[in-house]
Amino acid sequence: MSRALRLVFAGTLATGMHGAMAQTGTDDAAIQRVEVTGSSIKRLASETALPITSIKASDFVKQGLTTAAEVLNTISMNQSSTTSSQSVGSGTGGIATADLRGLGSNKTLVLLNGRRIANHPFNGSSVDLNIIPLSALERVEVLRDGASAIYGTDAIGGVINFITKREVQGATVSVERYQPQASGSGGESRLNLSGGFGDLDKDGYNFFGVVDLHKQTALSAVERDFSSTSVRPDRGINNSSGTSQPGNFFSDNGITGNPYAASGCVGKGLIAAANGTCRTDTTAYIQSIPKTKQESFLGKATFKLGGENLGTVEYLHSRSTNSSSIAPSPLTGITMTSASPYYPGGSAGVPAVAGLTGEDLTVNWRTVAAGNRVGYDTSISDRLVLGSEGLVAGWDYNVGLTYATSKATSAFVEGYTNDTLMKAGVLNGILNPFGEQSTDGAAYLDSAQLRGEYLSARMTSIGVDAKVSREIFTLPAGSVGFAVGTEFRHDKATYDVNTELASQASSSGYADAQDQSGQRNIAALYSELSAPLARNVELSLAARYDHYNDVGGSFNPKIGLRWQPSKQIMLRTSYNTGFRAPTLYDLHGPATSTFTGNSYDDPVLCPGGTVVAGANPNVACNQQQYIRSGGNLNLKPEKSKTFALGAVFEPSNTLSMSLDYFNIKIRNKIGTVSETTIFNDYDKYASYFVYSADGKTLQYVNAVLDNLGEVHTSGIDATLRWKLPRSAAGDFAFVFDGTWVNSYKYQNEAGGAFVENVGVYGDDNPVFRWKHNATINWKKGVWSASLSNKFLSGYVDQNDVDDEYKHKVRAYSTFSLSGSYAGFKNTDLTVGVKNLFDTNPPYTNQGTTFQSGYDPRYTDPLGRTFYVKATYKF
């Protein structure tokens, strides 16, 4: 196999090298001993054979990628991602995550320059990708096989290593603007300033800094036809809410109704129901994309310490804000007596309802007059790394001290009201739950508004790491490489709830939450050996022992074998075990209660959609219910086994291909049973349902974190790199990455039945059978262009119970086109269009997210979007 092929499939090189930055395909790269993502042994780049996907920073703008989450969505093995859209209604704090192999973001290890970043405190197990400053990056490397033996216990799905520029000289300013064709909403802007001075080789030092500012405006769901409603009779879907304005009532003599139902339920999002009530299509109020802003700074200083030794100081500061809006507060269980002037048929003019003779009413009311519920989330991350690397007594060494914090807060801005005051206002006749408020009522409503910070969480991680490597002896086939390293880390998490504020609004999710905290010490020792068994056969061995003071320890080995029978082919295989301890959030996270994404019939009070005698149908039937989750001190660690087998082919110097098979098995997966599964099988999950003492009200469904069972997944990654011969028309290159998933099966409890998830929505998400990203690049002189395609295969939809409405979500394929010109002095200009053919997301009846009609985790609601980027170098 030629040197060029070996370089391509080793991936571009990680930090920790000496001399100038190595670049794939250069002569310098072939003679430098470097550390590659996935190994601790420094070696020639051409000697490695790891299944690594690498994305250069220069490719980000070609595809119109504005965030780290978008960059990782171009990687075929990344099954899904959490973005700011999921913060709408679900309290994620605006976190953005990746999910390699679909195993969960908590099993994807994210590194910055080979070292850890503090996890976001609101989920405690994933790095918030919003803190990554794209403009500071040189490239992103993704190690596709598990690396628990090298990097730690949470690298089961794979490793993502964001690698920054090693040194910067001069100054650069760049501006970007992204504008959707359909409307100005959802537009994005970015400003980047970077500069540095000092030549590491000549001056012995380099200082550089990068400031990156990015913001996006909000997009309302109603601004796109495909997301404008959650009521689709033609699809058998009605996810409207039985809590409305005007309110619905249930009387003591069993009458259900709404005073204004007879006039047609006229109002924003209102629809008439068959039982004489008004329901609310909450999609009329929610956002598809919230308003977001990210500000980040990365500063790095590198010094030569003598010989081949370097010292580095690296500081990252990032602040991310997220302002999301959802429907006005829903209040249930409100008592109204005939003494109220707003009683139907009373003195205030509310229409009378036949059958009412003054009985007390129980009212469901959505406080539209108080406005949408608007929440504001802030995430702040700081990370300081002091490091040194070099060569001492023939040993390559790398040591570092890391201090990292991640703080997140959530606050009420408007629309959240004091439940007790609101109920009292209706009971004493000041508030009108059926119509407009009086002057006194409006003033009372404003006084009941809740504003301020109700939740603050913080993760702190302090760690030291050290490793050394060298060739320890020589076999007949070559030198044996050896590495040994150790890590010590102290992690602490605190969750502070403003109980006085949060307890007043049941819709906040934290009404019953209490302060929580936890901490742990982690120690690890690992080693790696690389031995040439023959001229074309290399054996790799690695092992790691991790010890957690709160959950114990685990030993995890890895074995790999590379065989190159000819210059045109290379074969590789590996096997490793993994161990992921429950995070501090998994163990100590506060109990939170939120509304379910879908509407459900209470299985006890409204079985099959028929209300039982004495129950309130406005609460029990086809209504969003409360579901509770939180930490569990009884969780056991997850354990895994990963097997990989691959082949790399290079029939010519301009064409290279690879196929890699993966097989992963996980035991004791930590998670929660999905809401759909719980409500669809009450007999099995009856213990999850918590009712009031009188049995007339479902208080919440208790879906705490638990060890659910096993996960088995297998499939094939395919890559193709083809560089066409040079011609008068310019240089062309084709790049393709695809992943085919053969099977993804999981259990909802230990020993339970396996559920196949490939090509099927499953409990709360689909696993795509096929996903690919393909790009054609062209360059001629100062001109260049790029055409990219991202493809996701179709799947059987979530709500697929009734054959009449059986539905398959169609495949989703979008193209991006860009062109660049570098003919101006010191200036580069790029213009492009994302979603070139203005393809709408495919329809899905999913109810897992608060958005309807499409799935924001996999598709983009913006449509065709034009963008421009200009860069000026001083």
Side-chain angles (χ1 to χ4, degrees):
M1 182 177 295
S2 70
R3 179 183 66 200
L5 174 65
R6 290 194 295 265
L7 286 171
V8 167
F9 288 95
T12 53
L13 310 179
T15 55
M17 59 193 71
H18 307 302
M21 174 72 74
Q23 297 293 334
T24 299
T26 66
D27 291 337
D28 289 342
I31 62 174
Q32 293 180 12
R33 291 163 57 250
V34 302
E35 182 184 322
V36 179
T37 300
S39 175
S40 297
I41 299 174
K42 288 193 174 183
R43 65 190 81 194
L44 299 184
S46 59
E47 293 175 354
T48 64
L50 299 171
I52 293 177
T53 296
S54 181
I55 308 174
K56 296 180 180 179
S58 58
D59 293 330
F60 298 168
V61 70
K62 293 178 182 178
Q63 298 186 45
L65 308 175
T66 60
T67 64
E70 279 195 309
V71 170
L72 293 174
N73 264 337
T74 67
I75 297 173
S76 60
M77 68 176 290
N78 186 34
Q79 273 284 328
S80 68
S81 62
T82 300
T83 64
S84 59
S85 297
Q86 278 80 75
S87 69
V88 177
S90 59
T92 66
I95 186 175
T97 66
D99 182 6
L100 300 182
R101 304 294 184 208
L103 298 173
S105 60
N106 54 19
K107 284 175 276 296
T108 297
L109 178 59
V110 176
L111 307 173
L112 180 63
N113 292 331
R115 287 188 169 94
R116 290 175 176 266
I117 306 171
N119 290 335
H120 190 278
F122 276 10
N123 79 349
S125 58
S126 306
V127 169
D128 183 5
L129 299 179
N130 288 322
I131 73 173
I132 303 296
L134 284 191
S135 303
L137 298 181
E138 182 73 30
R139 65 196 176 280
V140 181
E141 292 180 352
V142 180
L143 180 63
R144 300 196 302 268
D145 71 342
S148 291
I150 305 298
Y151 291 113
T153 61
D154 44 0
I156 294 173
V159 178
I160 301 169
N161 192 8
F162 291 96
I163 301 170
T164 64
K165 297 178 176 70
R166 188 166 182 265
E167 60 178 305
V168 173
Q169 295 175 358
T172 301
V173 58
S174 64
V175 291
E176 300 174 48
R177 176 62 187 175
Y178 294 78
Q179 185 64 51
Q181 176 180 305
S183 71
S185 300
E188 298 177 73
S189 301
R190 165 171 269 121
L191 172 65
N192 171 261
L193 304 172
S194 64
F197 60 92
D199 186 298
L200 195 57
D201 292 325
K202 295 180 181 179
D203 304 322
Y205 63 84
N206 180 259
F207 295 85
F208 79 84
V210 177
V211 176
D212 193 76
L213 307 175
H214 171 260
K215 64 179 181 179
Q216 183 172 23
T217 59
L219 176 72
S220 297
V222 294
E223 292 186 75
R224 297 293 186 268
D225 289 341
F226 55 80
S227 61
S228 61
T229 181
S230 62
V231 180
R232 292 290 302 270
D234 58 319
R235 301 282 191 174
I237 297 298
N238 183 352
N239 286 330
S240 62
S241 170
T243 304
S244 66
Q245 161 69 32
N248 297 314
F249 67 79
F250 178 72
S251 71
D252 284 356
N253 64 351
I255 296 177
T256 300
N258 187 299
Y260 292 93
S263 60
C265 297
V266 178
K268 185 176 179 179
L270 290 180
I271 57 176
N275 63 349
T277 63
C278 298
R279 298 182 65 84
T280 301
D281 183 356
T282 56
T283 305
Y285 296 92
I286 70 168
Q287 296 170 329
S288 289
I289 297 175
K291 180 181 178 181
T292 61
K293 186 176 182 180
Q294 292 93 37
E295 307 159 348
S296 58
F297 167 77
L298 177 73
K300 189 172 183 179
T302 307
F303 309 89
K304 278 198 169 183
L305 302 178
E308 297 186 55
N309 302 302
L310 298 176
T312 59
V313 179
E314 181 182 291
Y315 174 64
L316 171 67
H317 172 77
S318 180
R319 182 176 185 269
S320 175
T321 61
N322 181 295
S323 178
S324 61
S325 175
I326 57 176
S329 288
L331 296 175
T332 61
I334 305 171
T335 299
M336 171 179 271
T337 71
S338 58
S340 170
Y342 302 111
Y343 193 91
S347 61
V350 175
V353 176
L356 291 184
T357 57
E359 297 85 1
D360 287 353
L361 307 180
T362 301
V363 181
N364 287 13
W365 178 34
R366 189 171 295 275
T367 56
V368 173
N372 278 19
R373 284 170 291 168
V374 178
Y376 190 78
D377 300 313
T378 304
S379 299
I380 299 175
S381 294
D382 290 280
R383 179 178 181 264
L384 177 66
V385 179
L386 306 179
S388 179
E389 59 181 282
L391 187 66
V392 173
W395 288 86
D396 290 301
Y397 76 90
N398 193 318
V399 297
L401 169 65
T402 301
Y403 174 80
T405 65
S406 179
K407 181 180 179 181
T409 61
S410 289
F412 299 137
V413 176
E414 61 182 7
Y416 289 91
T417 53
N418 183 312
D419 295 350
T420 302
L421 287 178
M422 297 297 286
K423 292 180 179 181
V426 174
L427 183 62
N428 62 27
I430 295 177
L431 294 180
N432 177 11
F434 301 121
E436 297 294 327
Q437 302 301 320
S438 66
T439 301
D440 289 343
Y444 185 95
L445 193 63
D446 185 66
S447 68
Q449 290 260 9
L450 301 175
R451 297 180 176 91
E453 182 181 300
Y454 64 91
L455 175 66
S456 176
R458 185 184 184 96
M459 292 281 292
T460 303
S461 181
I462 304 173
V464 294
D465 62 87
K467 58 188 173 186
V468 295
S469 67
R470 65 170 296 172
E471 295 172 353
I472 53 176
F473 57 86
T474 302
L475 295 174
S479 299
V480 175
F482 172 76
V484 63
T486 186
E487 292 181 24
F488 298 92
R489 195 167 80 247
H490 176 74
D491 290 348
K492 183 178 181 180
T494 59
Y495 307 95
D496 298 321
V497 182
N498 183 344
T499 53
E500 182 179 353
L501 188 62
S503 64
Q504 297 179 50
S506 58
S507 63
S508 71
Y510 288 85
D512 300 322
Q514 300 294 321
D515 292 351
Q516 297 286 339
S517 64
Q519 56 184 315
R520 63 168 36 142
N521 296 318
I522 307 165
L525 179 67
Y526 60 93
S527 184
E528 185 180 356
L529 187 74
S530 176
L533 303 183
R535 184 182 60 85
N536 56 2
V537 180
E538 180 183 46
L539 174 67
S540 297
L541 298 173
R544 181 183 181 102
Y545 178 77
D546 292 272
H547 184 267
Y548 292 69
N549 71 308
D550 52 353
V551 296
S554 178
F555 175 80
N556 294 284
K558 179 175 182 176
I559 182 171
L561 190 66
R562 175 180 70 90
W563 177 37
Q564 189 175 331
S566 71
K567 293 177 63 176
Q568 289 75 36
I569 186 170
M570 179 181 71
L571 305 176
R572 59 192 177 202
T573 187
S574 66
Y575 172 82
N576 68 85
T577 65
F579 165 94
R580 192 187 79 85
T583 67
L584 292 176
Y585 182 87
D586 293 338
L587 298 171
H588 305 285
T592 60
S593 297
T594 59
F595 282 112
T596 56
N598 268 327
S599 296
Y600 298 96
D601 293 323
D602 185 317
V604 173
L605 302 177
C606 190
T610 302
V611 65
V612 300
N616 183 350
N618 298 331
V619 175
C621 302
N622 194 24
Q623 178 71 294
Q624 289 175 294
Q625 308 291 345
Y626 277 112
I627 190 165
R628 175 175 291 190
S629 187
N632 182 355
L633 291 172
N634 297 316
L635 290 173
K636 296 180 292 184
E638 299 174 324
K639 297 185 178 181
S640 69
K641 296 178 181 179
T642 299
F643 171 73
L645 176 66
V648 184
F649 308 93
E650 188 189 67
S652 70
N653 290 333
T654 59
L655 177 63
S656 59
M657 300 171 286
S658 72
L659 291 173
D660 287 279
Y661 169 79
F662 64 89
N663 189 301
I664 304 172
K665 296 181 179 180
I666 299 175
R667 291 185 291 122
N668 299 327
K669 180 187 176 182
I670 296 172
T672 58
V673 180
S674 79
E675 62 179 59
T676 303
T677 301
I678 294 171
F679 277 93
N680 286 345
D681 196 347
Y682 173 75
D683 291 340
K684 184 175 184 178
Y685 298 104
S687 61
Y688 285 40
F689 290 76
V690 178
Y691 287 86
S692 58
D694 60 8
K696 293 183 178 181
T697 304
L698 174 61
Q699 294 181 317
Y700 57 86
V701 175
N702 196 26
V704 297
L705 286 166
D706 205 349
N707 293 105
L708 301 183
E710 297 186 11
V711 178
H712 299 171
T713 184
S714 62
I716 295 175
D717 295 323
T719 65
L720 173 66
R721 306 287 185 269
W722 183 24
K723 186 176 182 180
L724 279 67
R726 288 189 171 182
S727 67
D731 299 335
F732 290 87
F734 179 68
V735 180
F736 176 88
D737 285 288
T739 295
W740 177 77
V741 181
N742 172 59
S743 178
Y744 187 108
K745 297 187 292 187
Y746 62 90
Q747 296 171 305
N748 276 322
E749 65 275 328
F754 278 94
V755 178
E756 179 59 69
N757 206 173
V758 175
V760 180
Y761 193 92
D763 283 349
D764 52 15
N765 64 276
V767 172
F768 297 97
R769 177 75 69 182
W770 175 255
K771 180 179 180 180
H772 77 240
N773 194 70
T775 303
I776 298 175
N777 293 315
W778 168 81
K779 182 176 177 59
K780 184 177 182 180
V782 296
W783 294 93
S784 62
S786 178
L787 176 66
S788 299
N789 170 244
K790 186 171 73 173
F791 178 88
L792 298 170
S793 59
Y795 54 91
V796 177
D797 215 348
Q798 181 185 26
N799 299 315
D800 192 40
V801 179
D802 194 330
D803 287 340
E804 181 182 356
Y805 299 107
K806 194 176 184 69
H807 178 247
K808 182 173 182 179
V809 178
R810 60 175 172 81
Y812 183 58
S813 179
T814 58
F815 290 82
S816 296
L817 176 66
S818 69
S820 299
Y821 179 71
F824 300 117
K825 183 179 179 181
N826 298 332
T827 303
D828 294 331
L829 182 66
T830 299
V831 295
V833 56
K834 299 169 65 174
N835 197 347
L836 180 63
F837 300 109
D838 201 22
T839 303
N840 285 337
Y843 173 79
T844 169
N845 56 34
Q846 66 84 18
T848 302
T849 74
F850 269 62
Q851 291 83 3
S852 297
Y854 77 107
D855 199 320
R857 296 170 294 181
Y858 316 107
T859 59
D860 183 2
L862 290 175
R864 183 183 292 122
T865 301
F866 300 98
Y867 65 93
V868 59
K869 178 179 180 179
T871 300
Y872 183 78
K873 299 178 181 178
F874 296 89

